[in-house]
Amino acid sequence: MKNNSKIEFVNHASVLITHEKIGILSDPWYFFSVFNKGWRLLHENEIKYVESVLSKSSHIYISHEHPDHFNPKFLLDERIKKLIFKNNITFLFQETKDKRVVNFLKKSGFFVQECKLDKVINLSEEVKIKISKHDFYDSSIAIFTPDYKILNLNDCPLKEKSEIDNFQKKHGDFDILLTQFSYAAWKGSESNVTLRQIAAQEKIQAIISQYKILNCKHVIPFASYIYFSNKMNFYMNDSVNKPSNVQEELARENINSIIMAPGEIQNLNNLRQSQESLEFWDDKFNLNKNNIEIDEYKSSVNLEELNLNFEKYKNKIFKKNSKFLISLLNKIRFLNIFQDINIYLEDHKKNYIFSIFKGLQETSDDSYDISMHSDSLLFIFKNEFGFDTLTVNGCFQTKSSQFTKVTKTLALGSLNAMGLGLNFKLIFNVEIIILFLKKVTAFFRKLKSSEQYSG
Protein backbone atom coordinates (compact mmCIF):
# COMPACT_ATOMS: atom_id res chain seq x y z
CA MET A 1 0.00 0.00 0.00
CA LYS A 2 1.35 3.38 -0.96
CA ASN A 3 2.18 6.13 1.56
CA ASN A 4 1.21 4.29 4.74
CA SER A 5 4.60 4.65 6.45
CA LYS A 6 4.50 6.40 9.83
CA ILE A 7 6.91 7.67 12.43
CA GLU A 8 6.21 7.85 16.15
CA PHE A 9 8.60 9.75 18.36
CA VAL A 10 9.00 7.97 21.70
CA ASN A 11 11.95 9.58 23.50
CA HIS A 12 15.58 10.69 23.09
CA ALA A 13 16.98 8.40 20.33
CA SER A 14 13.91 6.17 20.23
CA VAL A 15 11.47 6.32 17.33
CA LEU A 16 9.07 3.78 15.89
CA ILE A 17 9.01 3.50 12.08
CA THR A 18 6.00 1.49 10.92
CA HIS A 19 4.93 0.17 7.53
CA GLU A 20 2.23 -2.48 7.24
CA LYS A 21 3.05 -5.16 9.87
CA ILE A 22 6.66 -4.03 10.38
CA GLY A 23 7.46 -1.72 13.27
CA ILE A 24 11.14 -0.87 13.87
CA LEU A 25 11.73 0.63 17.31
CA SER A 26 15.14 2.20 17.92
CA ASP A 27 17.20 2.46 21.11
CA PRO A 28 14.58 2.13 23.86
CA TRP A 29 15.53 4.12 26.98
CA TYR A 30 12.58 5.70 28.72
CA PHE A 31 13.47 6.06 32.40
CA PHE A 32 16.34 5.58 34.92
CA SER A 33 19.56 7.58 35.13
CA VAL A 34 22.52 6.38 33.02
CA PHE A 35 26.28 6.87 32.76
CA ASN A 36 26.87 6.30 36.47
CA LYS A 37 24.36 8.90 37.70
CA GLY A 38 25.41 11.36 35.01
CA TRP A 39 22.43 11.69 32.65
CA ARG A 40 18.66 11.80 32.94
CA LEU A 41 15.88 12.21 30.41
CA LEU A 42 14.13 15.55 30.19
CA HIS A 43 10.90 13.59 30.01
CA GLU A 44 10.21 10.06 31.27
CA ASN A 45 7.54 7.97 29.55
CA GLU A 46 4.65 6.35 31.38
CA ILE A 47 4.85 2.55 31.45
CA LYS A 48 1.42 2.19 29.81
CA TYR A 49 2.60 4.24 26.85
CA VAL A 50 5.78 2.14 26.57
CA GLU A 51 3.63 -0.98 26.54
CA SER A 52 1.56 0.43 23.66
CA VAL A 53 4.72 1.19 21.68
CA LEU A 54 6.07 -2.33 22.17
CA SER A 55 2.73 -3.78 21.05
CA LYS A 56 3.29 -2.09 17.65
CA SER A 57 6.93 -3.19 17.32
CA SER A 58 8.14 -6.17 15.32
CA HIS A 59 11.84 -5.28 15.70
CA ILE A 60 14.07 -3.38 18.12
CA TYR A 61 17.19 -1.83 16.64
CA ILE A 62 20.08 -1.21 19.06
CA SER A 63 22.59 1.21 17.57
CA HIS A 64 25.46 0.71 20.04
CA GLU A 65 26.36 -0.26 23.58
CA HIS A 66 26.00 3.07 25.40
CA PRO A 67 23.25 2.84 28.05
CA ASP A 68 21.10 5.58 26.50
CA HIS A 69 20.77 3.24 23.50
CA PHE A 70 21.31 -0.24 24.91
CA ASN A 71 19.81 -0.33 28.40
CA PRO A 72 19.88 -3.80 30.00
CA LYS A 73 18.02 -2.58 33.10
CA PHE A 74 15.08 -1.59 30.91
CA LEU A 75 15.17 -4.70 28.73
CA LEU A 76 15.31 -7.06 31.71
CA ASP A 77 12.42 -5.41 33.55
CA GLU A 78 9.90 -8.24 33.95
CA ARG A 79 6.99 -6.28 32.44
CA ILE A 80 9.09 -5.19 29.45
CA LYS A 81 10.62 -8.61 28.92
CA LYS A 82 7.20 -10.30 28.91
CA LEU A 83 5.92 -7.84 26.32
CA ILE A 84 8.94 -8.40 24.08
CA PHE A 85 8.35 -12.15 24.25
CA LYS A 86 4.58 -11.78 23.80
CA ASN A 87 4.98 -9.73 20.63
CA ASN A 88 7.78 -11.94 19.23
CA ILE A 89 10.00 -8.90 18.80
CA THR A 90 13.35 -9.51 17.11
CA PHE A 91 16.41 -7.45 18.03
CA LEU A 92 18.57 -6.02 15.25
CA PHE A 93 22.25 -5.43 15.99
CA GLN A 94 25.39 -4.92 13.94
CA GLU A 95 27.77 -7.84 13.44
CA THR A 96 30.75 -7.44 15.81
CA LYS A 97 33.82 -9.48 16.61
CA ASP A 98 33.21 -9.70 20.35
CA LYS A 99 29.44 -10.42 19.97
CA ARG A 100 28.98 -9.13 23.51
CA VAL A 101 25.61 -7.42 22.96
CA VAL A 102 24.30 -10.24 20.77
CA ASN A 103 25.33 -12.87 23.31
CA PHE A 104 23.77 -10.89 26.16
CA LEU A 105 20.46 -10.64 24.30
CA LYS A 106 20.48 -14.33 23.36
CA LYS A 107 21.37 -15.37 26.91
CA SER A 108 18.40 -13.30 28.11
CA GLY A 109 16.16 -15.36 25.82
CA PHE A 110 15.54 -12.74 23.14
CA PHE A 111 15.41 -13.35 19.40
CA VAL A 112 18.35 -11.61 17.70
CA GLN A 113 19.21 -10.97 14.08
CA GLU A 114 22.89 -10.17 13.76
CA CYS A 115 23.18 -7.94 10.71
CA LYS A 116 26.15 -7.99 8.36
CA LEU A 117 27.45 -4.48 7.83
CA ASP A 118 26.28 -2.59 4.72
CA LYS A 119 24.16 -5.51 3.58
CA VAL A 120 20.52 -4.95 2.61
CA ILE A 121 18.26 -7.21 4.70
CA ASN A 122 14.60 -7.89 3.92
CA LEU A 123 12.28 -7.66 6.93
CA SER A 124 9.25 -8.11 4.67
CA GLU A 125 8.41 -7.84 0.99
CA GLU A 126 8.21 -4.05 1.30
CA VAL A 127 10.58 -3.14 4.14
CA LYS A 128 14.35 -3.44 3.98
CA ILE A 129 17.14 -2.26 6.26
CA LYS A 130 20.88 -1.72 6.08
CA ILE A 131 23.13 -1.22 9.10
CA SER A 132 26.44 0.60 8.73
CA LYS A 133 29.27 0.99 11.22
CA HIS A 134 30.81 4.34 12.16
CA ASP A 135 34.12 4.73 13.97
CA PHE A 136 34.81 2.24 16.76
CA TYR A 137 31.35 1.02 17.77
CA ASP A 138 28.53 3.32 16.56
CA SER A 139 26.11 2.21 13.88
CA SER A 140 23.36 3.77 11.78
CA ILE A 141 20.35 2.12 10.19
CA ALA A 142 18.85 2.87 6.79
CA ILE A 143 15.20 1.86 6.49
CA PHE A 144 13.68 1.42 3.04
CA THR A 145 9.93 1.35 2.44
CA PRO A 146 8.35 1.44 -1.05
CA ASP A 147 8.21 5.25 -0.88
CA TYR A 148 10.90 6.43 1.53
CA LYS A 149 14.55 6.11 2.40
CA ILE A 150 15.02 6.91 6.09
CA LEU A 151 18.42 7.28 7.73
CA ASN A 152 18.67 7.02 11.51
CA LEU A 153 22.13 8.33 12.39
CA ASN A 154 21.38 8.63 16.15
CA ASP A 155 24.68 10.03 17.51
CA CYS A 156 27.06 8.61 14.92
CA PRO A 157 30.10 10.90 14.50
CA LEU A 158 29.44 11.64 10.84
CA LYS A 159 30.23 15.35 10.70
CA GLU A 160 33.13 16.10 8.36
CA LYS A 161 32.00 16.93 4.83
CA SER A 162 34.47 14.46 3.33
CA GLU A 163 33.12 11.65 5.55
CA ILE A 164 29.51 12.47 4.69
CA ASP A 165 30.39 12.68 1.01
CA ASN A 166 31.98 9.22 1.14
CA PHE A 167 28.90 7.89 2.94
CA GLN A 168 26.65 9.38 0.25
CA LYS A 169 28.69 7.86 -2.56
CA LYS A 170 28.38 4.46 -0.90
CA HIS A 171 24.75 4.58 0.27
CA GLY A 172 23.03 7.25 -1.83
CA ASP A 173 20.52 9.95 -0.91
CA PHE A 174 17.84 9.84 1.79
CA ASP A 175 14.41 11.40 2.16
CA ILE A 176 14.31 11.64 5.95
CA LEU A 177 17.23 12.08 8.34
CA LEU A 178 17.20 11.52 12.09
CA THR A 179 20.30 12.88 13.80
CA GLN A 180 21.67 14.18 17.12
CA PHE A 181 21.38 17.93 17.70
CA SER A 182 23.53 18.72 20.76
CA TYR A 183 26.77 17.68 22.46
CA ALA A 184 26.67 14.58 24.63
CA ALA A 185 29.95 14.26 26.52
CA TRP A 186 32.45 16.21 28.61
CA LYS A 187 33.25 19.54 26.97
CA GLY A 188 35.75 21.27 29.19
CA SER A 189 35.92 22.31 32.83
CA GLU A 190 33.29 24.50 34.43
CA SER A 191 35.01 27.72 33.36
CA ASN A 192 35.47 26.64 29.74
CA VAL A 193 32.11 27.77 28.36
CA THR A 194 33.80 28.45 25.02
CA LEU A 195 34.42 24.76 24.30
CA ARG A 196 30.78 23.91 24.95
CA GLN A 197 29.61 26.73 22.71
CA ILE A 198 31.90 25.48 19.95
CA ALA A 199 30.65 21.91 20.41
CA ALA A 200 27.02 23.05 20.25
CA GLN A 201 27.60 24.99 17.03
CA GLU A 202 29.47 22.06 15.50
CA LYS A 203 26.36 19.92 15.93
CA ILE A 204 24.32 22.45 13.95
CA GLN A 205 26.94 22.52 11.21
CA ALA A 206 26.98 18.71 11.11
CA ILE A 207 23.20 18.60 10.58
CA ILE A 208 23.48 21.16 7.78
CA SER A 209 26.21 19.14 6.04
CA GLN A 210 24.39 15.83 6.51
CA TYR A 211 21.12 17.24 5.19
CA LYS A 212 22.61 18.91 2.12
CA ILE A 213 25.11 16.25 1.06
CA LEU A 214 22.58 13.43 1.53
CA ASN A 215 19.96 15.49 -0.35
CA CYS A 216 17.34 15.04 2.37
CA LYS A 217 13.80 16.44 2.29
CA HIS A 218 13.26 16.50 6.06
CA VAL A 219 15.40 16.20 9.17
CA ILE A 220 14.13 15.18 12.60
CA PRO A 221 16.65 16.35 15.22
CA PHE A 222 16.69 13.92 18.17
CA ALA A 223 19.01 11.90 20.46
CA SER A 224 19.71 14.92 22.68
CA TYR A 225 16.69 15.07 24.96
CA ILE A 226 18.72 14.68 28.14
CA TYR A 227 20.28 16.84 30.80
CA PHE A 228 23.54 16.41 32.68
CA SER A 229 22.00 15.41 35.98
CA ASN A 230 24.80 15.19 38.55
CA LYS A 231 25.87 17.93 40.95
CA MET A 232 29.35 17.53 39.50
CA ASN A 233 28.37 17.94 35.83
CA PHE A 234 25.24 20.09 35.93
CA TYR A 235 27.22 23.09 34.67
CA MET A 236 27.52 21.39 31.27
CA ASN A 237 23.87 22.20 30.56
CA ASP A 238 24.84 25.85 30.10
CA SER A 239 25.37 25.72 26.31
CA VAL A 240 23.30 22.79 25.01
CA ASN A 241 21.29 23.30 21.84
CA LYS A 242 17.57 23.66 22.37
CA PRO A 243 15.13 22.35 19.73
CA SER A 244 13.51 25.70 18.87
CA ASN A 245 16.93 27.33 18.44
CA VAL A 246 18.11 24.42 16.29
CA GLN A 247 15.06 24.78 14.08
CA GLU A 248 15.63 28.53 13.68
CA GLU A 249 19.26 28.05 12.66
CA LEU A 250 18.39 25.28 10.20
CA ALA A 251 15.62 27.40 8.67
CA ARG A 252 18.24 30.01 7.74
CA GLU A 253 19.78 27.30 5.55
CA ASN A 254 16.38 26.41 4.06
CA ILE A 255 16.41 23.11 5.91
CA ASN A 256 13.04 21.60 6.72
CA SER A 257 13.27 20.32 10.29
CA ILE A 258 10.56 18.69 12.38
CA ILE A 259 10.71 18.65 16.19
CA MET A 260 8.54 15.87 17.61
CA ALA A 261 7.20 15.35 21.13
CA PRO A 262 6.82 11.97 22.89
CA GLY A 263 3.81 10.08 21.60
CA GLU A 264 3.50 12.18 18.44
CA ILE A 265 2.69 10.15 15.32
CA GLN A 266 2.97 11.48 11.77
CA ASN A 267 2.58 10.07 8.28
CA LEU A 268 5.86 10.28 6.40
CA ASN A 269 4.11 11.73 3.35
CA ASN A 270 2.82 14.71 5.35
CA LEU A 271 5.41 15.69 7.94
CA ARG A 272 4.52 18.96 9.64
CA GLN A 273 5.78 20.95 12.59
CA SER A 274 3.46 21.02 15.60
CA GLN A 275 3.69 24.22 17.62
CA GLU A 276 2.67 22.23 20.70
CA SER A 277 5.75 20.02 20.29
CA LEU A 278 8.06 23.02 20.19
CA GLU A 279 6.40 24.48 23.27
CA PHE A 280 6.62 21.10 25.03
CA TRP A 281 10.40 20.97 24.63
CA ASP A 282 10.89 24.68 25.33
CA ASP A 283 9.31 24.00 28.71
CA LYS A 284 11.34 20.83 29.35
CA PHE A 285 14.64 22.54 28.53
CA ASN A 286 13.90 25.27 31.07
CA LEU A 287 15.76 23.44 33.82
CA ASN A 288 15.51 26.29 36.31
CA LYS A 289 11.72 26.27 36.04
CA ASN A 290 11.19 22.51 36.32
CA ASN A 291 11.54 20.45 39.46
CA ILE A 292 14.19 18.16 37.98
CA GLU A 293 16.05 15.41 39.80
CA ILE A 294 19.71 16.02 40.63
CA ASP A 295 21.99 13.04 41.21
CA GLU A 296 24.98 12.93 43.52
CA TYR A 297 27.50 10.44 44.81
CA LYS A 298 26.51 10.06 48.45
CA SER A 299 28.81 7.23 49.55
CA SER A 300 32.56 7.68 49.77
CA VAL A 301 34.79 4.73 48.87
CA ASN A 302 37.78 4.37 51.20
CA LEU A 303 41.36 3.88 50.04
CA GLU A 304 41.50 0.22 51.07
CA GLU A 305 38.44 -0.69 48.97
CA LEU A 306 39.75 1.30 46.03
CA ASN A 307 43.06 -0.53 46.08
CA LEU A 308 41.35 -3.92 46.46
CA ASN A 309 39.35 -3.20 43.32
CA PHE A 310 42.46 -1.82 41.63
CA GLU A 311 44.13 -5.24 42.00
CA LYS A 312 41.24 -6.85 40.10
CA TYR A 313 41.42 -4.04 37.53
CA LYS A 314 45.17 -4.55 37.09
CA ASN A 315 44.78 -8.31 36.64
CA LYS A 316 42.20 -7.76 33.88
CA ILE A 317 44.43 -5.16 32.21
CA PHE A 318 47.45 -7.45 32.09
CA LYS A 319 45.33 -10.41 31.02
CA LYS A 320 43.97 -8.61 27.95
CA ASN A 321 47.02 -6.48 27.12
CA SER A 322 50.75 -7.01 26.84
CA LYS A 323 52.42 -6.20 30.15
CA PHE A 324 55.72 -5.95 28.28
CA LEU A 325 54.35 -3.23 25.96
CA ILE A 326 52.76 -1.34 28.85
CA SER A 327 56.06 -1.43 30.78
CA LEU A 328 58.02 -0.38 27.69
CA LEU A 329 55.72 2.57 26.97
CA ASN A 330 55.86 3.57 30.61
CA LYS A 331 59.65 3.84 30.39
CA ILE A 332 59.52 6.11 27.31
CA ARG A 333 58.67 9.20 29.35
CA PHE A 334 58.27 11.74 26.54
CA LEU A 335 55.33 9.75 25.13
CA ASN A 336 53.49 10.37 28.42
CA ILE A 337 51.76 6.98 28.18
CA PHE A 338 50.95 4.90 31.27
CA GLN A 339 52.66 7.46 33.47
CA ASP A 340 51.71 8.01 37.11
CA ILE A 341 48.91 10.54 37.48
CA ASN A 342 47.88 12.72 40.40
CA ILE A 343 44.20 12.21 41.29
CA TYR A 344 42.37 14.49 43.69
CA LEU A 345 39.38 12.71 45.25
CA GLU A 346 36.92 15.41 46.13
CA ASP A 347 35.10 13.44 48.82
CA HIS A 348 38.42 12.44 50.47
CA LYS A 349 39.81 15.96 50.06
CA LYS A 350 43.14 14.27 49.40
CA ASN A 351 45.54 13.72 46.51
CA TYR A 352 46.75 10.31 45.41
CA ILE A 353 49.41 9.17 42.99
CA PHE A 354 47.96 6.49 40.74
CA SER A 355 50.24 3.92 39.10
CA ILE A 356 48.96 1.30 36.68
CA PHE A 357 51.39 -1.06 38.39
CA LYS A 358 51.00 -0.11 42.08
CA GLY A 359 47.59 1.48 42.52
CA LEU A 360 46.92 4.48 44.78
CA GLN A 361 49.26 6.10 47.27
CA GLU A 362 48.49 9.28 49.19
CA THR A 363 50.65 12.30 48.36
CA SER A 364 51.14 15.82 49.68
CA ASP A 365 51.47 17.11 46.10
CA ASP A 366 48.21 19.02 45.49
CA SER A 367 48.83 19.75 41.78
CA TYR A 368 46.36 17.19 40.46
CA ASP A 369 45.97 15.93 36.89
CA ILE A 370 42.29 15.14 37.40
CA SER A 371 39.75 15.72 40.14
CA MET A 372 36.84 13.31 40.66
CA HIS A 373 34.74 11.49 43.26
CA SER A 374 35.90 8.14 44.66
CA ASP A 375 32.69 6.58 43.25
CA SER A 376 33.87 7.46 39.73
CA LEU A 377 37.30 5.94 40.31
CA LEU A 378 35.73 2.77 41.69
CA PHE A 379 33.50 2.62 38.59
CA ILE A 380 36.62 2.77 36.40
CA PHE A 381 38.22 -0.08 38.33
CA LYS A 382 35.08 -2.22 38.15
CA ASN A 383 34.12 -1.67 34.50
CA GLU A 384 36.14 -1.76 31.30
CA PHE A 385 33.92 1.01 29.96
CA GLY A 386 34.40 3.01 33.18
CA PHE A 387 36.70 5.70 31.77
CA ASP A 388 34.50 6.01 28.68
CA THR A 389 31.55 6.57 31.04
CA LEU A 390 33.50 9.25 32.91
CA THR A 391 34.31 11.14 29.70
CA VAL A 392 30.62 11.06 28.75
CA ASN A 393 29.14 12.06 32.10
CA GLY A 394 31.81 14.70 32.70
CA CYS A 395 31.85 14.30 36.49
CA PHE A 396 35.43 15.50 36.80
CA GLN A 397 37.64 18.56 36.37
CA THR A 398 40.92 18.86 34.49
CA LYS A 399 42.70 20.89 31.81
CA SER A 400 43.87 19.98 28.31
CA SER A 401 47.49 19.06 29.09
CA GLN A 402 46.55 16.97 32.10
CA PHE A 403 43.60 15.31 30.37
CA THR A 404 45.89 14.09 27.61
CA LYS A 405 48.09 12.41 30.21
CA VAL A 406 45.09 10.98 32.10
CA THR A 407 43.59 9.55 28.92
CA LYS A 408 46.86 7.85 27.98
CA THR A 409 46.85 6.13 31.37
CA LEU A 410 43.19 5.25 32.03
CA ALA A 411 41.69 4.71 28.56
CA LEU A 412 43.06 1.20 28.08
CA GLY A 413 39.89 -0.34 29.52
CA SER A 414 37.87 1.47 26.84
CA LEU A 415 40.01 -0.19 24.18
CA ASN A 416 39.39 -3.58 25.77
CA ALA A 417 35.65 -2.89 25.94
CA MET A 418 35.69 -2.64 22.12
CA GLY A 419 37.20 -6.11 21.91
CA LEU A 420 40.72 -4.82 21.26
CA GLY A 421 43.89 -5.26 23.26
CA LEU A 422 47.22 -3.46 23.44
CA ASN A 423 49.50 -6.08 21.93
CA PHE A 424 51.79 -6.56 18.96
CA LYS A 425 48.81 -7.54 16.81
CA LEU A 426 47.20 -4.13 17.37
CA ILE A 427 50.35 -2.36 16.18
CA PHE A 428 49.65 -3.69 12.69
CA ASN A 429 46.01 -2.54 12.77
CA VAL A 430 46.86 0.74 11.07
CA GLU A 431 43.23 1.76 10.48
CA ILE A 432 42.35 1.63 14.19
CA ILE A 433 45.52 3.48 15.24
CA ILE A 434 45.02 6.26 12.68
CA LEU A 435 41.37 6.69 13.64
CA PHE A 436 42.20 6.85 17.36
CA LEU A 437 45.06 9.33 16.91
CA LYS A 438 42.99 11.50 14.57
CA LYS A 439 40.14 11.84 17.04
CA VAL A 440 42.29 12.31 20.13
CA THR A 441 44.51 14.92 18.43
CA ALA A 442 41.53 16.89 17.10
CA PHE A 443 39.80 16.99 20.48
CA PHE A 444 42.87 18.01 22.44
CA ARG A 445 43.73 20.72 19.91
CA LYS A 446 40.21 22.11 20.21
CA LEU A 447 40.29 21.87 24.01
CA LYS A 448 43.60 23.68 24.28
CA SER A 449 42.50 26.39 21.84
CA SER A 450 39.26 27.02 23.76
CA GLU A 451 41.14 27.29 27.07
CA GLN A 452 43.46 29.89 25.58
CA TYR A 453 40.47 31.78 24.18
CA SER A 454 38.72 31.64 27.56
CA GLY A 455 41.80 33.21 29.14
Side-chain angles (χ1 to χ4, degrees):
M1 186 181 295
K2 194 173 180 65
N3 293 335
N4 70 342
S5 302
K6 295 180 180 180
I7 181 169
E8 178 171 355
F9 180 79
V10 187
N11 208 332
H12 188 51
S14 186
V15 296
L16 177 65
I17 306 291
T18 56
H19 181 88
E20 296 290 344
K21 295 181 179 179
I22 298 296
I24 304 170
L25 179 66
S26 63
D27 294 334
W29 169 50
Y30 309 131
F31 20 79
F32 313 129
S33 66
V34 294
F35 292 116
N36 194 29
K37 299 181 181 178
W39 284 23
R40 284 189 180 272
L41 290 159
L42 287 163
H43 169 81
E44 292 194 346
N45 301 101
E46 296 290 337
I47 186 65
K48 286 186 178 179
Y49 171 64
V50 175
E51 290 172 351
S52 74
V53 169
L54 289 172
S55 70
K56 294 180 280 187
S57 303
S58 60
H59 297 79
I60 293 177
Y61 161 67
I62 303 293
S63 61
H64 59 289
E65 205 172 342
H66 279 168
D68 59 319
H69 301 268
F70 170 62
N71 195 296
K73 187 176 180 181
F74 169 79
L75 297 175
L76 297 182
D77 180 276
E78 284 305 313
R79 295 166 299 178
I80 301 302
K81 196 172 181 180
K82 285 180 181 178
L83 278 168
I84 293 173
F85 288 149
K86 179 182 177 181
N87 293 293
N88 296 314
I89 298 174
T90 298
F91 282 83
L92 303 170
F93 194 73
Q94 60 179 300
E95 186 177 56
T96 61
K97 289 182 179 179
D98 60 43
K99 300 187 183 298
R100 182 163 51 194
V101 172
V102 168
N103 288 339
F104 171 86
L105 292 170
K106 287 181 177 178
K107 188 177 180 181
S108 302
F110 297 123
F111 297 112
V112 186
Q113 184 167 357
E114 194 174 7
C115 303
K116 289 188 178 298
L117 298 175
D118 299 326
K119 180 183 178 182
V120 175
I121 296 170
N122 296 324
L123 299 186
S124 71
E125 288 186 5
E126 293 194 329
V127 180
K128 302 176 178 63
I129 63 163
K130 180 167 59 173
I131 292 177
S132 302
K133 185 176 181 179
H134 301 260
D135 280 8
F136 295 110
Y137 48 74
D138 285 290
S139 78
S140 64
I141 185 170
I143 301 171
F144 310 102
T145 71
D147 303 291
Y148 300 99
K149 293 176 67 178
I150 307 146
L151 178 63
N152 179 344
L153 272 180
N154 54 86
D155 54 10
C156 290
L158 190 67
K159 59 183 181 180
E160 300 297 333
K161 289 183 178 180
S162 59
E163 294 174 330
I164 304 169
D165 189 56
N166 288 335
F167 184 85
Q168 192 278 335
K169 288 176 180 176
K170 187 173 184 179
H171 302 286
D173 298 338
F174 291 88
D175 301 302
I176 299 166
L177 169 69
L178 295 104
T179 188
Q180 185 185 46
F181 66 86
S182 193
Y183 58 82
W186 182 73
K187 301 299 177 188
S189 59
E190 189 166 1
S191 62
N192 196 347
V193 181
T194 303
L195 182 63
R196 292 187 287 285
Q197 292 172 338
I198 292 171
Q201 193 56 41
E202 282 184 345
K203 285 298 178 184
I204 303 292
Q205 292 305 314
I207 297 174
I208 293 170
S209 296
Q210 291 165 0
Y211 185 95
K212 291 185 175 181
I213 295 173
L214 297 174
N215 295 303
C216 302
K217 298 180 179 67
H218 298 87
V219 60
I220 300 174
F222 81 146
S224 298
Y225 292 112
I226 61 98
Y227 66 99
F228 296 94
S229 64
N230 198 288
K231 278 189 173 182
M232 298 182 70
N233 69 6
F234 194 79
Y235 70 89
M236 287 207 298
N237 296 302
D238 61 12
S239 303
V240 297
N241 288 325
K242 298 176 182 179
S244 55
N245 300 123
V246 170
Q247 190 168 72
E248 288 173 7
E249 291 204 45
L250 295 179
R252 295 191 191 104
E253 296 286 333
N254 296 315
I255 290 176
N256 189 0
S257 62
I258 310 293
I259 303 297
M260 299 182 71
E264 182 178 348
I265 303 173
Q266 293 205 38
N267 291 315
L268 294 186
N269 67 331
N270 191 32
L271 288 172
R272 295 179 181 275
Q273 180 58 60
S274 162
Q275 185 60 33
E276 288 183 3
S277 296
L278 283 174
E279 292 172 357
F280 174 87
W281 286 119
D282 281 343
D283 179 67
K284 290 294 182 180
F285 272 87
N286 190 344
L287 300 182
N288 294 325
K289 174 185 173 183
N290 296 308
N291 186 25
I292 60 173
E293 192 164 353
I294 303 295
D295 295 301
E296 60 180 311
Y297 303 125
K298 295 180 179 178
S299 300
S300 183
V301 186
N302 63 44
L303 179 60
E304 182 181 7
E305 185 177 352
L306 286 170
N307 272 325
L308 282 172
N309 280 277
F310 162 75
E311 288 299 323
K312 298 174 185 177
Y313 165 85
K314 182 178 71 172
N315 290 337
K316 284 190 291 185
I317 288 290
F318 291 144
K319 183 178 180 180
K320 293 191 174 185
N321 306 278
S322 167
K323 187 175 181 179
F324 172 78
L325 274 178
I326 293 173
S327 300
L328 178 63
L329 291 169
N330 169 262
K331 289 180 172 63
I332 307 174
R333 296 298 175 88
F334 73 90
L335 292 177
N336 223 14
I337 301 176
F338 302 124
Q339 299 301 303
D340 294 355
I341 57 175
N342 187 319
I343 302 175
Y344 178 72
L345 296 182
E346 297 192 4
D347 50 315
H348 287 203
K349 300 191 184 308
K350 292 179 180 179
N351 291 72
Y352 299 91
I353 296 298
F354 170 77
S355 163
I356 198 168
F357 304 101
K358 300 176 182 177
L360 293 167
Q361 292 183 326
E362 190 176 340
T363 178
S364 58
D365 181 2
D366 61 0
S367 56
Y368 64 80
D369 294 306
I370 187 169
S371 168
M372 68 176 83
H373 193 280
S374 61
D375 186 281
S376 294
L377 186 57
L378 180 66
F379 195 83
I380 291 172
F381 290 159
K382 282 190 169 185
N383 303 280
E384 286 183 332
F385 52 83
F387 185 69
D388 186 43
T389 294
L390 186 70
T391 60
V392 172
N393 71 27
C395 291
F396 65 95
Q397 294 291 310
T398 187
K399 290 188 176 181
S400 58
S401 58
Q402 288 94 332
F403 190 50
T404 307
K405 180 181 178 183
V406 170
T407 300
K408 290 178 179 179
T409 297
L410 292 178
L412 191 53
S414 301
L415 184 72
N416 298 156
M418 293 186 287
L420 300 170
L422 179 61
N423 48 45
F424 289 99
K425 184 178 179 181
L426 181 68
I427 294 173
F428 296 101
N429 195 332
V430 179
E431 184 180 353
I432 290 291
I433 293 173
I434 291 175
L435 178 60
F436 176 77
L437 291 176
K438 179 183 176 183
K439 292 197 167 292
V440 170
T441 301
F443 176 75
F444 288 139
R445 187 185 299 119
K446 193 184 305 174
L447 177 58
K448 188 173 182 179
S449 174
S450 66
E451 286 177 347
Q452 290 172 346
Y453 183 82
S454 298

